Structure formats: structure tokens, C-alpha cells
Amino acid sequence: MELTTFWFIIIGVLWTGYFVLEGFDFGVGMLLPVLGKGKADSTTDAAAGQAGEVTDPVTDHIGENEKRRRVLLNTIGPVWDGNEVWLLTAGGATFAAFPNWYATLFSAAYLPLLIILVGLIVRNMGFEYRHKRDSVAWRKGWDTAIIVGSFIPAILWGVALTNMVRGLPINADMEFTGNLFTLLNPLSLLGGIVTMLVFMTHGCFFVALKTDGAVRHDARALATKTGLAAAVLAVVLLVWLGIEVGTVTSWVTSVLVALFFLAALAFNLRGKEGAAFAGTFVAIALFVLTYFVMLFPNVMPSTTNAAWSLTTENASSSHHTLVIMTWVALIFTPLVVLYQSWTYWVFRKRITTKHIPEAVDPSRPDPIKVH
Amino acid sequence: MDVLELARWQFAITTVYHFLFVPITIGLSALVAGYHTAWLRTGNTQYLRLAKFLGKLFTINFALGLVTGIVQEFQFGMNWSDYSRFVGDIFGAPLAIEALLAFFLESTFLGLWIFGWGRLPRALHAACIWIVHIGTLLSAYFILAANSFMQNPVGYRFNPETQRAELVDFGAVLLNKVQLVTFPHVAFSSYMVGGAVAMGVMLWNLRKRTLEARAAADAVETGGATKVAPTADDLTMYRKASRVGAIVMLVASLGVVVTGDLQGKVMTEVQPMKMAAAEALYDTYEKDAPFSIFTVGTRDGKEEKFAVTVPNLLSFLATGDFHGKVEGVNDLEPELQKKFNEGKLTSADSYTPNMMWSYWSFRWMMGWGGICMAIGVWVLWITRKGRNPVNRWMGPAALVGALSPVFAMSIGWIFTEIGRQPWVVYGVMTTKQGVSPSVSAGEVLTSMIVYTLLYGALAVVEVKLFMDYMRKGAEPVADDGEDLPGGHSDGSKNDDELSFAY
């Protein structure tokens, strides 16, 4: 195999790693206001039932609803940052292996990327800072940051990648000649809605797998709704894209995406949470695979003139650089997968509202826990 | 302003801002790791309190360093796409390796450390924060290797077929002579920052708790004691921790001085123009060049009105010989014009960087470093032999002491980057050639405004939070040192509350 083809696959693997991992933490962030509200755990009396009906915004940030939100946030607490590094590695590896791809893509998707960056920034700050003060206003603010900051990249990555696959106006100098509205076409917007719904479903399965009690139950119920919507729209997207730029292989992988995704929903209905999560995990990986199969051997097809498309050959680094990067990737990627998997094993226990400690605040001492 | 100017301003704003948090992250992670290990080895819970206290301040700071770092990686492609195309073959590799080797280590093991209390065996848990620290150093190494290539391009050739710079020797890029002096200089400076921030935080707390203890003692005499006063042990802890911070800072500052001196000599060799600009040296000194400490000149700097100088010192700084020759701008400029003015990527109106910025930023860097060192010595002096003083200078000293090395590093980088102009890659590509052709001034302006407003707002939030947690101080922990219910760090656990949770 050509090294350029190998690196095309590596870039695909890195995006896959990013979407299967950060996909569920986007899902958790987006669903914070929905799953973070409802009946208290292990109480079935009328009072608690009524509390679940209350939608007054203040009660979302105190009492049982607040505990539910914290349960959700703690399912991803130790891992979201490591998940996001897959994006940084995908970006860095594209820069190293395909400088022209990196340069054209990042300068073309300028404003969407700016919005994605703002989303990621406020979301990450929300994760890190929300629990550091015990104040309703503080939590409300950061919750908004987390929710909005999860929706933005979940949608816009879908828009950006769909644009990349279907092609953009690119001139002979590999420069993007369109504008923001070129990027906001119906097909790509549909791509954004699909990634949003898929990540929501993936997030629900993750929550169902990592929590217990009412949150777990609600996540499973919600997954069926978002999952069905995702399934329908994903089929439309893949058929539409397939007609425009599909190949025999991409049709096969598209069918597999649908099968694994539907299997995940079926497993969820039967209460098999692990299998359901594995199902969306594989379906998302196959989804990225489908996109990359559609791209190859282009990396950014030009809609202006097919001869001006960026390909794995004309966008790549020199052979020497690719050889060095290959060694680095072959040694360190498995190592990363190993220790990152270990993190998930360390934090494998389900979390419930009764695990959630009292909120801390800088204005008062933490309780000293003696046992 | 055109795209070039806006893109440069944006890079300056986002990079200077990002780099306020970077040295604190590198330096404080080492101190947290040190205290965590000290607790493990001695069982003294004061070390655990300090590890947790500094750990909280560390995570407050780390969050901003992390999010602003993402912008850094994307910015090359967004604003500097022609630069990315031209040097990506060389420059991309250290960036990718930084993500794969360093960022994964930092993020994964910081998550393990923060959430790992009571869930990991104790030694392994302490190892996590050490791994975070190693990750920060690796990250610094690779990004500095990339920057060193821009200062002194080595290990590459220009490929006329692809019209770009291509890698021929990665070892040469990683072991660039600029890199070999820059990395230790930045690492020592970061330890200086970590030590200084710890010193400031602890000194402030020492004064506050001592006053509280005295007030409580007075209140007992008058029978009005109401709240729990800091104990003598608390005061000892803060006093010792202030001294540890000062010592770490001062030891690191020696490394900073030595490596800075070496850097000066390498800089004179590879970028004589930068050295000339740093000294506002117009005419070449064939020998015995004096070092100017302070200059009042005409506004354009072309004429000197008043100056304080040290004879022969510049010759020594630049060449290692008190009688060495140092070239001035007036000789270098025509040389560079002749050498570079023909090439498309290398032609420029002037090869002289902004003299005023270069001259003063160089001095401010050293000045702030010197101020920090003086405060460190003063802190050691007032706390000598068990002394526990309260004086009104402690507050300002804590603040200035903590911030001065951060300023020194910022302005040192401003010097490094301004002094390289008009080049983006020295002698190979000018900055104006690197900017994205397909991006409009409006787009760059939009993103610049968005980043500036967002970064400004986040700075307010972060500083307030940092100060509030600094005031809260090092919290008491349960006697067995593990304030986890039922948790024993040997890994056994029960179904109770998490010891740390979002």
C-alpha cells in the first residue's frame, strides 16, 4: 500500500476515534436539560413524582434535579478531555501528513470552525468550573455553556465533513473560492442534524450504561425516540450522498451503518445496554468509514473542476515525513488506546444520585469526611 | 488593517494569552506532584493538604490553558494556510507528535488524578500527576522544536518541484541548536513561574492566617472567640510552603540565567539582526561593545540622548568574549537586502525588526525576572530561622512575586517573535507570504473580536475563582490522610459518595 493511502486511513481512524468517543460526551452535554430532570431515585411517593413535573428553572439547579445533572456530568467527568484529544491529533496528523488538506479545509471552513472553537471552549470551561461554586446563577450559566457548546460542534462537524465529502468550489491553487453560504447547503445541513441525533442517541446509551436508577431508565426511553429520528434521517443522508458521490463499497458500508444502528436500538429495547452502546459505537465508526470511502482517492474534491481536487497524492507530505510519522503512529497510537481504555476500566462503576457529594464552594470549608 | 496585520494581531493576542497559563501548568504540576509524593513518603498530612490546595489552583488554571491551546492548533490552517502549505512537511510533524505523545498523556492522566482519589492504589495515583507533568514537558519540547525551526530552519531542503520546504533530517529539527538552549530556558522559566506562584499564594495565606490567629487569641482574652482559628501547625505549613516556593523559584532562576546567556550567543550566531535590535545597536562594534541598561533616545531610536552602559558586557553576552565583535543594524540591513531581496518568498522592505519593541522587551524580560528573584530572597530572609512575621509588604510581594515571572516570560516571547520579523521562517519565508489567501479581512476581524471578548470574559472568571480558592486556603484533611468515605487508596471501595465529583 502507498504510504499516502495508509495515512488517509490513519486520518480516518483518528476522526473515528474522535466521533465514537466525544460523540457520547456531546450527547450527554446536549441532553443535560432533558435527562437532568425528573423523578428522584429510589422514591416513588407522590411528592417526588410531582417534583419531577416542576419545570421552574431554579429547581433545575438545586435538589434532586441538580443531583441528576451532576450524575450525568460525572459519567463523562474523567474522560471527556482525553476524548477531545482525538480531535487535536486528527488536526495535527492532517497538518503533518497532508499539509494542503489541512490548509484548504481549515481556511475554507473558517467561520464554522470559529464557532466550533467557541463552542468547545465554553463547554470545556463549563465542565471544569461548574462544580467549583455552589450558586444557582453560576451553575445556570455554565449549564448553558455546556448545552450550547455541545450542540454546536455536534451539528457543525457533521456540516463540515459532509461538505468535505460532497465537494467544495476549489481553484487550481487549492484555495476555497466560496463563502459561508456555500457551506450551508441542504445536504450538509442534513449531515449536521444527523450527527447531532446520532450523538444524542450514543450519549443516551452511554448514560444508560454508566448510571443507575431513574436517569438510566429515562436515558433508555429517550434513546428510542432520538434513535428513530436519527435512523430515518441518516438513511436519507446516506442515500442522497450515495447518489451524488457513492461507490459500490460505500453503499455496502452505508447498509452496515443502518444495520448496526438499528441493532443498537433493538438491543436497547431489550435492555441490553452494553450491546446497544457497542452498536452505536460501531455504527458511527462505519459512518466515518463510509465518508472516507466516498472521498478516496480525493481528500477534498473540487466542484469547480475535478482536476483541481485535492488528492492523497497532491495534498500529502514528502515520503520521508510520512515514513517518520508512520513509525510514531505505529508505536504510540496503540499505547494511547491502551491507557485510555484503562481509564474507562478504572471508572467503570455506575454512578447514581446517592454517590453525589455535597456541593463545594470557596466561601466555606469542605466537610471533613471521617469514617 | 489588512488580512496580514489582523492575522498577526490575532496570533499575538491568542498566543500571549495562551502562554500565560502554560508556564503555570508546567511549573505547578511539578510542585503538586512533589507535595503528593512527599505525603506518600512521610505520611505528613500537611503535604497532602498542600498537594490538594495547589492541585485545585492548578486545575483552575489548566482549564484555560487547555481551551486556548485548541485555538492555537487550528489557527495555522485558518489564518496562515500558505505558511502551513509551505512548511507543513516539517512543521506539522512536531505538532502531531505533541498531540499524540503529550496531550493524550496530560488529559488522560489528569482525569485519573482529579477523579482518582480513593479509586487508585496510592502510589499509582501519585504517579498520575507525575505523568501529567512529564506530558507538559513533552508538549513544550515539541512545540518549541517547531518554533526553533522558525527561528533557525535546519534539516530541510527547498523542493523546486513542489515549491515548498521538505524535511530531510528530523533529528536535526529536534536537536536544532536554538531548540537545545530554548527548551531548557523555557522549562527553567516555567519552574520559576510555578515556584513564584506557589510562593505568592502561600505567603498571602501565611499573613492572613497569622493575623487571624492573633485576632482569635485576642478574642479569647476578651472572651469573644467565635470561629475556629488557624493552628500553629497551619502557620508552620504556610511558612514552609512559602519558603519551598521561593527556593524552587530561585534555583530555577539560576538555570534561567545560564540558559538565557547561552541563548544570547546562539541568537547572535543565527540571527545577528535580532541581537542588534535587542541592543538598538546601529553601528558595528569591532570590539568591546558596551551593554546598554537604559537608553533615552529620539522617538525613532536613531539617535541616543542619554544612556547607562556597562563597558564590554555586550561583547561578552553576544560572543562569550569581552572583546568580541558585535554587528550593528546599519551593516546588517544592506547585507540582508542584497542576500534576500530577489526571492519571492524572501523579499521585504526592511529586514530590521521594530527596534523600540525589541530593545525594551529584552530589558523588561530581564527586569521582571530580577524583580521576582529579589522578592524570593526577601521572602527567605523575613521567614528565616522560624520567623513568622506580619508586615504590610507581604501582600504586594505575594502579588508581584507571583506575576513578575509570568510577565517576564510573556515579554520574552514577544521579543523572540518580534525580533524575528519580517520573517516567519528566518531567512526562508516572510510573514506576509504565509497568510491565508482565501480568508477575508472581515473574517479575521470577526474571529479576533470574538476571541478577544471571550478570552477577556474568561480571564475575569478565572482570576476571581483563583483568588477565591486561594483565600479558602489549604483545607484540613481527615487524619488518615484520605478524605474519602470508606475509601482506602488500595483500591477497595464501597458504594458511598465519590470523594471528588463534578
Side-chain angles (χ1 to χ4, degrees):
Chain A
M1 187 184 354
E2 295 278 331
L3 263 189
T4 48
T5 309
F6 175 77
W7 269 92
F8 180 78
I9 295 169
I10 292 281
I11 303 295
V13 168
L14 293 171
W15 278 106
T16 304
Y18 180 57
F19 282 159
V20 296
L21 294 174
E22 185 126 285
F24 68 72
D25 66 54
F26 283 148
V28 172
M30 288 187 282
L31 295 173
L32 200 60
V34 184
L35 289 178
K37 169 188 301 193
K39 289 195 199 97
D41 272 1
S42 67
T43 41
T44 48
D45 55 298
Q50 274 171 5
E53 307 300 316
V54 176
T55 50
D56 173 24
V58 174
T59 57
D60 282 348
H61 298 86
I62 52 171
E64 282 300 322
N65 280 351
E66 166 59 15
K67 279 201 171 175
R68 279 182 67 136
R69 288 192 177 214
R70 291 182 64 194
V71 165
L72 292 169
L73 292 172
N74 278 290
T75 60
I76 54 172
V79 296
W80 66 265
D81 190 5
N83 295 349
E84 197 159 291
V85 177
W86 285 89
L87 169 67
L88 295 175
T89 309
T94 311
F95 197 174
F98 300 101
N100 284 321
W101 187 3
Y102 170 80
T104 304
L105 177 64
F106 280 52
S107 58
Y110 195 93
L111 291 175
L113 271 179
L114 169 67
I115 300 168
I116 287 175
L117 287 171
V118 170
L120 291 177
I121 288 172
V122 297
R123 170 179 186 270
N124 295 356
M125 294 303 291
F127 289 147
E128 294 278 0
Y129 279 10
R130 184 190 193 275
H131 64 283
K132 286 192 160 38
R133 280 189 204 279
D134 186 13
S135 135
V136 170
W138 176 265
R139 284 197 285 264
K140 270 172 95 166
W142 288 122
D143 277 1
T144 309
I146 291 171
I147 295 160
V148 174
S150 298
F151 268 102
I152 287 173
I155 297 169
L156 289 187
W157 283 128
V159 175
L161 291 196
T162 309
N163 268 312
M164 187 172 86
V165 172
R166 73 183 280 276
L168 289 169
I170 291 170
N171 68 17
D173 295 328
M174 298 186 172
E175 296 295 343
F176 174 64
T177 55
N179 56 37
L180 181 62
F181 298 101
T182 322
L183 303 172
L184 300 179
N185 54 76
L187 178 57
S188 300
L189 290 174
L190 175 64
I193 304 291
V194 168
T195 48
M196 177 191 84
L197 288 167
V198 168
F199 292 158
M200 276 183 181
T201 313
H202 196 40
C204 283
F205 291 159
F206 183 74
V207 169
L209 195 58
K210 295 292 295 178
T211 62
D212 211 347
V215 184
R216 179 183 180 185
H217 176 263
D218 292 355
R220 275 163 49 177
L222 184 61
T224 303
K225 295 179 196 159
T226 59
L228 284 174
V232 171
L233 292 177
V235 168
V236 176
L237 172 73
L238 289 173
V239 169
W240 189 346
L241 254 183
I243 290 167
E244 285 205 6
V245 292
T247 66
V248 177
T249 322
S250 80
W251 282 110
V252 175
T253 55
S254 297
V255 171
L256 288 175
V257 171
L259 286 179
F260 272 91
F261 196 80
L262 291 172
L265 295 181
F267 278 124
N268 177 55
L269 283 175
R270 294 175 52 196
K272 302 221 182 286
E273 290 151 347
F277 180 72
T280 43
F281 194 96
V282 175
I284 293 170
L286 286 165
F287 181 80
V288 179
L289 176 67
T290 306
Y291 268 39
F292 273 69
V293 166
M294 287 171 173
L295 265 182
F296 189 79
N298 291 328
V299 295
M300 286 194 79
S302 169
T303 51
T304 316
N305 181 339
W308 296 341
S309 296
L310 277 73
T311 67
T312 55
E313 289 303 319
N314 70 17
S316 86
S317 280
S318 65
H319 185 74
H320 185 61
T321 296
L322 292 181
V323 170
I324 291 169
M325 289 306 299
T326 301
W327 282 107
V328 173
L330 288 178
I331 294 168
F332 290 100
T333 314
L335 204 63
V336 166
V337 172
L338 212 63
Y339 66 69
Q340 212 170 40
S341 311
W342 177 66
T343 311
Y344 282 89
W345 189 79
V346 168
F347 299 108
R348 66 196 175 280
K349 264 170 68 79
R350 288 180 185 272
I351 301 169
T352 69
T353 48
K354 70 174 191 286
H355 292 122
I356 300 298
E358 204 182 307
V360 297
D361 194 83
S363 70
R364 59 163 191 262
D366 295 346
I368 303 177
K369 300 158 190 164
V370 185
H371 29 93
Chain B
M1 281 200 271
D2 59 3
V3 177
L4 172 67
E5 252 176 284
L6 288 166
R8 285 186 64 191
W9 268 107
Q10 180 167 326
F11 200 86
I13 292 167
T14 54
T15 310
V16 167
Y17 188 85
H18 172 64
F19 208 79
L20 296 174
F21 306 99
V22 172
I24 302 179
T25 298
I26 297 174
L28 270 190
S29 60
L31 277 156
V32 174
Y35 280 127
H36 193 155
T37 310
W39 165 63
L40 219 58
R41 296 189 66 136
T42 64
N44 181 346
T45 51
Q46 288 192 350
Y47 290 129
L48 177 64
R49 291 173 65 184
L50 291 168
K52 289 197 160 194
F53 178 35
L54 283 182
K56 276 180 203 160
L57 300 179
F58 169 78
T59 53
I60 290 171
N61 168 77
F62 181 86
L64 262 181
L66 169 93
V67 297
T68 53
I70 310 174
V71 175
Q72 293 305 102
E73 201 197 78
F74 283 35
Q75 195 167 183
F76 296 110
M78 292 170 78
N79 285 341
W80 304 97
S81 67
D82 270 0
Y83 167 79
S84 303
R85 290 182 209 282
F86 186 75
V87 297
D89 198 71
I90 304 134
F91 191 86
L95 257 66
I97 297 174
E98 184 190 16
L100 190 60
L101 266 70
F103 293 164
F104 271 122
L105 277 187
E106 287 178 70
S107 59
T108 310
F109 285 90
L110 185 59
L112 281 161
W113 187 74
I114 293 175
F115 285 85
W117 296 98
R119 294 202 231 183
L120 287 169
R122 286 186 177 185
L124 187 59
H125 187 220
C128 288
I129 188 71
W130 279 112
I131 294 173
V132 171
H133 178 60
I134 292 166
T136 65
L137 287 177
L138 279 173
S139 167
Y141 195 90
F142 288 108
I143 198 66
L144 289 174
N147 181 269
S148 295
F149 177 81
M150 298 164 79
Q151 307 291 348
N152 179 39
V154 290
Y156 80 103
R157 69 172 186 123
F158 178 74
N159 182 345
E161 219 171 287
T162 53
Q163 286 291 309
R164 67 179 183 189
E166 291 184 356
L167 187 65
V168 288
D169 184 352
F170 196 48
V173 172
L174 291 181
L175 300 173
N176 189 334
K177 69 169 99 168
V178 172
Q179 163 74 350
L180 293 182
V181 289
T182 302
F183 174 71
H185 191 63
V186 170
F188 279 124
S189 306
S190 300
Y191 291 130
M192 205 177 156
V193 167
V197 168
M199 173 184 82
V201 165
M202 299 303 173
L203 190 68
W204 189 90
N205 268 288
L206 174 62
R207 179 170 186 273
K208 179 175 182 236
R209 312 291 161 189
T210 308
L211 287 174
E212 281 174 5
R214 287 183 189 175
D218 291 348
V220 169
E221 275 173 29
T222 56
T226 50
K227 76 180 205 190
V228 186
T231 63
D233 276 355
D234 289 348
L235 301 182
T236 309
M237 176 182 71
Y238 288 120
R239 181 182 156 273
K240 282 189 179 164
S242 304
R243 292 178 64 84
V244 168
I247 290 166
V248 167
M249 186 272 286
L250 285 169
V251 171
S253 71
L254 296 179
V256 172
V257 171
V258 171
T259 54
D261 177 59
L262 294 172
Q263 266 192 310
K265 291 173 176 57
V266 173
M267 180 172 80
T268 311
E269 192 188 327
V270 303
Q271 297 180 352
M273 184 54 111
K274 194 191 272 185
M275 189 48 137
E279 292 311 314
L281 191 67
Y282 282 92
D283 298 313
T284 299
Y285 278 85
E286 289 301 330
K287 59 183 184 117
D288 302 341
F291 179 80
S292 113
I293 293 173
F294 184 81
T295 300
V296 181
T298 50
R299 209 178 151 69
D300 61 2
K302 284 190 175 152
E303 201 182 317
E304 192 175 283
K305 284 183 175 167
F306 171 78
V308 181
T309 58
V310 182
N312 295 41
L313 184 59
L314 177 57
S315 281
F316 178 75
L317 289 177
T319 65
D321 173 0
F322 280 104
H323 304 294
K325 173 183 172 179
V326 185
E327 287 187 286
V329 171
N330 292 342
D331 289 323
L332 288 167
E333 178 69 33
E335 260 175 53
L336 294 169
Q337 287 282 356
K338 203 170 134 196
K339 192 169 166 193
F340 291 119
N341 224 351
E342 298 302 312
K344 175 177 171 282
L345 291 172
T346 58
S347 82
D349 299 335
S350 161
Y351 294 93
T352 309
N354 184 308
M355 298 287 272
M356 199 178 77
W357 270 98
S358 304
Y359 178 88
W360 285 110
S361 58
F362 194 59
R363 272 145 197 80
W364 275 108
M365 172 184 74
M366 294 190 286
W368 282 117
I371 288 168
C372 184
M373 288 157 73
I375 291 174
V377 171
W378 179 76
V379 168
L380 290 181
W381 173 253
I382 62 167
T383 56
R384 71 191 183 281
K385 294 179 189 156
R387 280 182 175 76
N388 189 2
V390 168
N391 73 53
R392 64 202 172 99
W393 295 106
M394 286 165 81
L399 183 69
V400 177
L403 292 180
S404 52
V406 180
F407 291 157
M409 280 190 94
S410 271
I411 206 139
W413 272 110
I414 290 171
F415 165 68
T416 306
E417 298 297 296
I418 285 187
R420 193 190 59 229
Q421 300 305 321
W423 302 105
V424 65
V425 180
Y426 193 83
V428 177
M429 185 188 214
T430 58
T431 309
K432 70 177 174 200
Q433 295 292 333
V435 83
S436 298
S438 69
V439 173
S440 70
E443 285 175 314
V444 186
L445 184 64
T446 306
S447 61
M448 190 167 91
I449 292 170
V450 168
Y451 289 136
T452 307
L453 293 179
L454 181 62
Y455 282 14
L458 291 178
V460 173
V461 175
E462 117 99 47
V463 169
K464 180 92 178 17
L465 196 62
F466 190 97
M467 299 294 276
D468 285 352
Y469 272 95
M470 182 183 88
R471 284 191 195 98
K472 188 174 179 177
E475 297 225 273
V477 292
D479 268 349
D480 77 336
E482 192 60 73
D483 52 348
L484 170 77
H488 299 285
S489 267
D490 59 8
S492 67
K493 40 195 115 39
N494 63 17
D495 245 351
D496 224 321
E497 279 181 6
L498 300 166
S499 63
F500 175 86
Y502 269 174

